[in-house]
Amino acid sequence: MHDKTPEEVFKELNTSPLGLSEEEAQRRISFYGLNEIEERRENLLNIFLRQYTNPLIVILIVAGILALFLGDWHDSVVVLGLVLINGIVGFYQEVKAKASIESLKLLTRQKVRVIRDGAEREIDASLLVPGDVILLSEGDVVPADARLIEESGLLVDEAILTGESVPMEKYSYPVLEKDTPIYERLNCVFKGTVVVRGKAKAVVYATGKNTQMGLLASKLEEKPPKSPLTVAIGNFSKKWVIALIVIISLLVLIGIAQGRDWKFLVFFGIAQLVSAVPEGLPIVITIALVVGALRLVKNKVLVRHLPAVETLGSATFICSDKTGTITEGRLRVEDYYSLDEEALLFCSALCNDSDGKRGDAVDLALLEWLDRIGFNWLSVRRLFERVWEHPFDTRRRLMAVVVKNGSSYDLYVKGALESLLNIADHTPNNLIKMHDSMAERGLRVLAFGKAVLDRLPDSIDSLKIEILGLVGFLDPPKEGVKEAVEKARRAGIRLIMITGDNLLTAKAVASMVGLYRDGDLVIEGIQMAKYSDDELYELLKRVSVVARALPEDKYRIVKVLQSKGEIVAVTGDGVNDAPALRVADLGIAMGSGAQVSKDASAMIITDNNLSVIVQAIMLGRQISANIAKVIRYLLSTNMFEILYNSLAILTGKPLPLYPTQILWINLVTDGVQDKAYPFTKHEGDPFREKPKKSQEVFLGRKQLFYVIYNGIIMAFGHFILFSYLLEKYPYQTTLTISFLSAVVSQWPVGIQEIGSKPFLLNPISYIKLNPYIYLGISVGLLLQLLAMSIFSDFFRVEQLSIEQLGYALIIPFVVFVALEVRKWLEYLYEAYRR
């Protein structure tokens, strides 16, 4: 379409500047399909089969088949049956988790402004069709390939498509040669590229897989990255498996040396290896993250990148915008100072991109002010046609327009006072004093200027203007922000407000919400250049406000903090925030912000409020704690099984658990109870806790101590009981008691590990922490009854008397008491320290 005029494009696509009718758009969707680049999806059969491709499961299947050939069909049926059930459960959980993740994705779909039936409306970008007329503005991600019809100061970043790092100027008027390469098509915009500056109207000619990005995506399939926690667990699991193989191999060799049946020992070794590896952990972590993401949705936080949920609770710094996050973001003119009042009002009306309903907050506030004082800005705009413009520039901090005024031209400019003084012919008396007076009251102050020209300017830098006056905007702090700042401080999170505002204004606003306190430092972005990274880090630990900050300043702050091990959450809403959002540990975009900032972020908050971010971090701590608890529970039970059997073999006693019983314990305890952990509520006040690094939370020293403590208590308790029962009862009876006790004793571990406070401190409150854990125990109890009765032959168990059942409950009681004592000692120690 680059080789055609806009009129020819309209004709070929059978559309017009008024857009398509809704009826025609629906017809074209059925023909062209949705405007989406389809991801390669794994079909259900592959997901199901993948449950059986784990090397440990394959070994187990081979062992089951081998048992059948050796004539032990009971064991074969149990092993293969458990493998089948485990695969079905894993398949169901994975499919359900994928469905939840897909539903979360739907909440963060891109929206686009489109003209249909001659009226502007906002629709889901996936509903665009060839022939649609779209409207683009700064910060938008281009939703489809389109031919420009109109444009004003349009600058597009096409690095994602062409690799060119310098944004490209775009124009609607050129008609190019048919063989013009992509990177030279000045009159087209392409799906996935970003509008850096300006605005445009364009007609869509390609959607979905037919776009340039779609053609590229079909050649390059990119797998989503694994989360840091998944990688950490994977690395730990590899080491754990190697250690298990060494330990179990030694046990098998010792057993053979003792004269035990080698075939039985090999079968035992395989069963022990499979049970001791927490192969179900990744899916439980995914469930925990999905449950956490759904909870965040209820707290007005949409999750775009699921692994970010696990990092949320570890945040140590929040680098926040001012406007719209700490303040209302709804500006109103509070005060003004004029040197030429009429020209100041004209400048406010003409150097303004708002239509009175939509637009930048500053522009909307100016028009609302003009309406309030009875100035007819619509009539002024009709009289003076805009013929040139310099869109707002974050580096120069100004915007300028030129309007036709008879035979001459009037240039109007608005922006930061220091920016306008750079191109002013002189500095009026009292101007700086009036500016500082407004800024110290927390007002956002803009300066306005004018120049009369005899021709259109080549550049804003070559002009000399006359200052017309100042306008002060009030942007009051949001309700709840002051409390959120205090909560964040109490939780050990440092807040830095990074803003483009004047230093005095920024400091005044920060003081209002308690973010700036006596002793804190306030710096300007330009000052950062004189510090090395190490010096800047030390400075940032005392800084609460960075004023007059450029996007690269924000980016550097994030990188410096990260280099020192800090976990940084960054908020942003504009196209210039995208670099910092992308590199941050937690990029948080505003729901009302530019599409590019949303695409660069891991999360989007629908209520642009700092208090929502702080609350989300607290919820993140709860999610991290739940993941840590399920890791602790699974590793504790795995350690128990390996230690218990090791003690029996090393002391020459018969095995206390039969191989099929070991596999059953893995299904009934680990496979049922662990799925309840993601639903655990938080204990106490998360705002009183300090941030902890993920590695410390999930696999730190304290965590490993708990695992070893729990495993030793269960293993030695069972071994002592088993040794005693061997003297009292036949081996088969002792084996049955041992099997039942091993299953039941893991339930109190599951109960005790859902909370850090003692169970008996407040039993009712403790039970309310997670009622689902008791549901899991109920399911486990039902399954165990089936194993002990209907399937008793398969599991080599016999019916027990009341006395024998009592023996099976001793160690579960001991385990509960031992964990309760540990928690009471910790609770009393913490109370003593406070």
Side-chain angles (χ1 to χ4, degrees):
M1 295 297 176
H2 57 281
D3 59 339
K4 295 178 173 64
T5 64
E7 292 74 21
E8 289 171 331
V9 174
F10 281 130
K11 186 176 180 181
E12 183 167 330
L13 294 172
N14 194 20
T15 185
S16 75
L18 297 177
L20 301 170
S21 67
E22 200 62 52
E23 184 182 348
E24 176 62 17
Q26 292 302 319
R27 190 189 69 77
R28 293 191 186 194
I29 281 181
S30 62
F31 181 77
Y32 292 104
L34 292 174
N35 177 34
E36 294 178 332
I37 299 172
E38 293 183 8
E39 298 175 16
R40 182 174 291 178
R41 296 178 186 274
E42 192 175 13
N43 63 45
L44 294 178
L45 179 61
N46 284 343
I47 295 174
F48 181 73
L49 293 176
R50 188 160 38 76
Q51 308 303 316
Y52 302 99
T53 57
N54 183 304
L56 296 175
I57 298 298
V58 171
I59 292 171
L60 205 54
I61 292 171
V62 171
I65 295 170
L66 186 63
L68 183 63
F69 277 109
L70 293 173
D72 195 346
W73 71 272
H74 279 93
D75 285 351
S76 178
V77 169
V78 171
V79 170
L80 295 177
L82 289 177
V83 167
L84 179 64
I85 292 169
N86 189 61
I88 291 170
V89 171
F91 168 74
Y92 170 75
Q93 288 167 344
E94 186 167 341
V95 169
K96 193 172 180 182
K98 283 179 180 288
S100 297
I101 292 170
E102 287 300 317
S103 67
L104 286 169
K105 285 182 179 178
L106 291 175
L107 296 175
T108 58
R109 298 284 283 269
Q110 181 185 353
K111 300 293 183 182
V112 61
R113 286 185 299 143
V114 64
I115 296 175
R116 284 191 180 167
D117 292 315
E120 182 184 331
R121 63 187 65 180
E122 189 176 71
I123 65 168
D124 194 311
S126 66
L127 301 178
L128 281 178
V129 292
D132 263 326
V133 176
I134 57 173
L135 301 172
L136 301 171
S137 57
E138 182 179 315
D140 285 346
V141 174
V142 179
D145 290 1
R147 170 66 161 89
L148 293 171
I149 307 166
E150 300 172 9
E151 99 299 321
S152 176
L154 189 63
L155 203 62
V156 179
D157 181 354
E158 296 183 334
I160 192 172
L161 191 64
T162 66
E164 178 58 58
S165 59
V166 178
M168 190 175 189
E169 292 184 4
K170 296 281 186 174
Y171 304 97
S172 58
Y173 61 81
V175 177
L176 307 173
E177 294 295 327
K178 195 172 184 66
D179 60 353
T180 304
I182 296 282
Y183 53 85
E184 290 182 4
R185 294 181 188 175
L186 307 179
N187 57 7
C188 293
V189 287
F190 302 101
K191 182 178 177 69
T193 59
V194 177
V195 179
V196 175
R197 196 178 72 196
K199 53 193 175 183
K201 183 186 288 187
V203 58
V204 173
Y205 65 81
T207 57
K209 62 183 180 181
N210 296 318
T211 61
Q212 292 296 325
M213 191 62 70
L215 296 172
L216 186 65
S218 64
K219 298 173 185 174
L220 299 172
E221 291 284 344
E222 184 179 350
K223 291 184 178 180
K226 292 183 179 180
S227 74
L229 173 59
T230 305
V231 171
I233 293 298
N235 292 337
F236 174 81
S237 296
K238 287 175 186 175
K239 294 174 185 175
W240 178 242
V241 167
I242 291 170
L244 286 174
I245 290 172
V246 171
I247 293 168
I248 292 169
S249 298
L250 286 172
L251 291 176
V252 170
L253 291 174
I254 291 170
I256 292 172
Q258 291 171 341
R260 301 177 194 250
D261 180 19
W262 71 269
K263 289 181 289 186
F264 177 80
L265 285 171
V266 169
F267 191 28
F268 154 77
I270 292 170
Q272 184 67 79
L273 178 63
V274 171
S275 290
V277 174
E279 73 279 350
L281 191 55
I283 190 65
V284 179
I285 289 171
T286 301
I287 292 170
L289 295 177
V290 170
V291 169
L294 293 172
R295 283 180 178 171
L296 286 166
V297 169
K298 294 179 182 177
N299 283 270
K300 303 176 182 178
V301 179
L302 308 180
V303 178
R304 293 188 68 254
H305 186 50
L306 196 61
V309 176
E310 77 192 37
T311 315
L312 196 58
S314 303
T316 55
F317 272 80
I318 299 176
C319 296
S320 174
D321 274 353
K322 178 183 78 70
T323 306
T325 307
I326 290 174
T327 61
E328 292 282 356
R330 291 194 294 271
L331 300 174
R332 67 181 172 86
V333 174
E334 182 73 8
D335 198 0
Y336 72 98
Y337 169 71
S338 66
L339 297 164
D340 183 337
E341 185 161 337
E342 183 181 40
L344 176 63
L345 300 179
F346 269 71
C347 186
S348 300
L350 296 171
C351 190
N352 191 312
D353 281 334
S354 174
D355 61 3
K357 296 178 181 176
R358 299 179 203 81
D360 179 77
V362 168
D363 289 347
L364 282 167
L366 284 170
L367 296 187
E368 187 272 331
W369 171 54
L370 295 176
D371 283 335
R372 204 163 65 227
I373 62 176
F375 184 85
N376 193 336
W377 55 271
L378 277 172
S379 296
V380 170
R381 284 189 179 179
R382 281 194 288 266
L383 286 171
F384 298 96
E385 178 193 358
R386 184 186 294 189
V387 292
W388 181 90
E389 69 178 289
H390 177 90
F392 180 75
D393 186 334
T394 55
R395 198 168 281 281
R396 291 185 177 88
R397 299 187 187 282
L398 56 79
M399 168 193 178
V401 300
V402 174
V403 297
K404 193 86 169 70
N405 186 4
S407 60
S408 63
Y409 299 96
D410 289 343
L411 175 134
Y412 291 103
V413 58
K414 74 171 188 282
L417 176 60
E418 52 265 46
S419 299
L420 267 64
L421 288 177
N422 287 336
I423 55 173
D425 53 9
H426 71 284
T427 303
N429 294 331
N430 291 327
L431 188 71
I432 294 175
K433 183 180 177 183
M434 291 301 298
H435 172 276
D436 291 353
S437 173
M438 288 185 188
E440 285 169 354
R441 288 156 52 199
L443 300 184
R444 181 179 179 182
V445 187
L446 289 186
F448 293 73
K450 178 184 178 181
V452 178
L453 311 173
D454 55 8
R455 62 182 180 85
L456 292 178
D458 296 322
S459 162
I460 191 73
D461 298 317
S462 61
L463 303 173
K464 283 296 177 183
I465 65 165
E466 177 189 350
I467 303 290
L468 302 174
L470 305 169
V471 175
F473 301 83
L474 179 64
D475 185 11
K478 280 189 173 178
E479 188 177 343
V481 168
K482 191 168 186 177
E483 292 77 10
V485 169
E486 186 51 43
K487 284 180 179 178
R489 190 173 277 125
R490 206 165 65 234
I493 302 168
R494 182 145 188 89
L495 279 156
I496 301 177
M497 186 176 83
I498 304 174
T499 176
D501 275 355
N502 172 274
L503 188 141
L504 294 173
T505 303
K507 182 179 175 181
V509 171
S511 298
M512 290 178 196
V513 297
L515 201 152
Y516 173 82
R517 299 187 298 183
D518 289 343
D520 286 352
L521 297 179
V522 178
I523 64 170
E524 289 189 327
I526 197 169
Q527 295 174 252
M528 288 170 47
K530 64 184 181 183
Y531 296 104
S532 68
D533 286 354
D534 289 339
E535 290 169 337
L536 182 59
Y537 175 65
E538 292 302 318
L539 189 71
L540 289 172
K541 289 196 283 188
R542 295 183 294 143
V543 165
S544 57
V545 177
V546 180
R548 288 290 188 240
L550 294 171
E552 49 265 40
D553 296 329
K554 195 171 189 176
Y555 179 88
R556 187 185 173 205
I557 288 170
V558 174
K559 294 297 286 183
V560 166
L561 291 173
Q562 288 176 323
S563 70
K564 300 299 182 181
E566 305 290 353
I567 304 298
V568 188
V570 174
T571 72
D573 59 1
V575 63
N576 294 298
D577 293 316
L581 288 169
R582 192 170 282 115
V583 299
D585 298 286
L586 283 162
I588 305 171
M590 305 296 108
S592 59
Q595 184 64 41
V596 65
S597 66
K598 296 177 189 176
D599 288 350
S601 67
M603 297 180 178
I604 300 170
I605 58 172
T606 55
D607 182 352
N608 305 355
N609 196 318
L610 183 67
S611 60
V612 173
I613 298 169
V614 174
Q615 190 63 44
I617 289 174
M618 295 305 104
L619 190 53
R621 290 187 178 182
Q622 177 186 332
I623 295 162
S624 295
N626 288 347
I627 293 173
K629 288 171 184 177
V630 77
I631 292 172
R632 185 158 67 239
Y633 168 69
L634 289 174
L635 293 182
S636 296
T637 56
N638 291 342
M639 178 161 280
F640 151 61
E641 291 170 20
I642 194 76
L643 270 178
Y644 188 19
N645 285 306
S646 299
L647 288 169
I649 289 177
L650 292 172
T651 56
K653 289 184 169 54
L655 286 176
L657 293 170
Y658 200 75
T660 49
Q661 293 173 350
I662 294 170
L663 294 173
W664 177 256
I665 292 169
N666 193 44
L667 176 69
V668 173
T669 56
D670 297 358
V672 176
Q673 251 181 295
D674 59 5
K675 308 305 183 293
Y677 273 85
F679 301 95
T680 306
K681 298 170 186 173
H682 203 90
E683 281 184 293
D685 182 4
F687 291 104
R688 293 193 178 277
E689 299 170 10
K690 301 302 178 188
K692 296 175 186 173
K693 293 182 178 178
S694 297
Q695 183 68 21
E696 181 187 345
V697 173
F698 301 130
L699 294 168
R701 289 183 181 178
K702 194 173 184 180
Q703 178 88 326
L704 293 177
F705 168 75
Y706 289 153
V707 168
I708 294 168
Y709 179 88
N710 296 349
I712 287 175
I713 292 292
M714 286 192 286
F716 278 89
H718 275 92
F719 179 70
I720 292 167
L721 178 68
F722 181 71
S723 301
Y724 169 76
L725 292 175
L726 281 174
E727 303 293 328
K728 187 176 177 68
Y729 297 116
Y731 172 64
Q732 196 64 32
T733 303
T734 303
L735 182 67
T736 303
I737 296 171
S738 173
F739 174 44
L740 180 59
S741 178
V743 170
V744 177
S745 67
Q746 295 187 44
W747 296 341
V749 177
I751 292 171
Q752 286 285 17
E753 290 303 348
I754 65 171
S756 58
K757 292 180 181 177
F759 180 91
L760 298 176
L761 182 66
N762 191 334
I764 295 173
S765 295
Y766 196 98
I767 290 169
K768 288 179 180 177
L769 277 177
N770 190 346
Y772 297 102
I773 202 82
Y774 306 99
L775 178 63
I777 291 172
S778 301
V779 173
L781 176 61
L782 179 62
L783 291 171
Q784 186 62 22
L785 288 173
L786 291 173
M788 299 287 290
S789 54
I790 297 174
F791 302 109
S792 58
D793 289 345
F794 290 91
F795 289 100
R796 316 290 176 104
V797 295
E798 57 184 36
Q799 298 301 309
L800 298 176
S801 66
I802 298 296
E803 178 188 311
Q804 291 163 349
L805 285 171
Y807 279 118
L809 298 177
I810 290 174
I811 301 304
F813 176 76
V814 169
V815 169
F816 182 89
V817 171
L819 269 64
E820 183 76 0
V821 168
R822 186 203 81 199
K823 290 163 79 172
W824 269 107
L825 290 173
E826 288 180 328
Y827 177 77
L828 293 172
Y829 176 70
E830 289 297 325
Y832 170 76
R833 283 181 63 188
R834 287 196 294 269

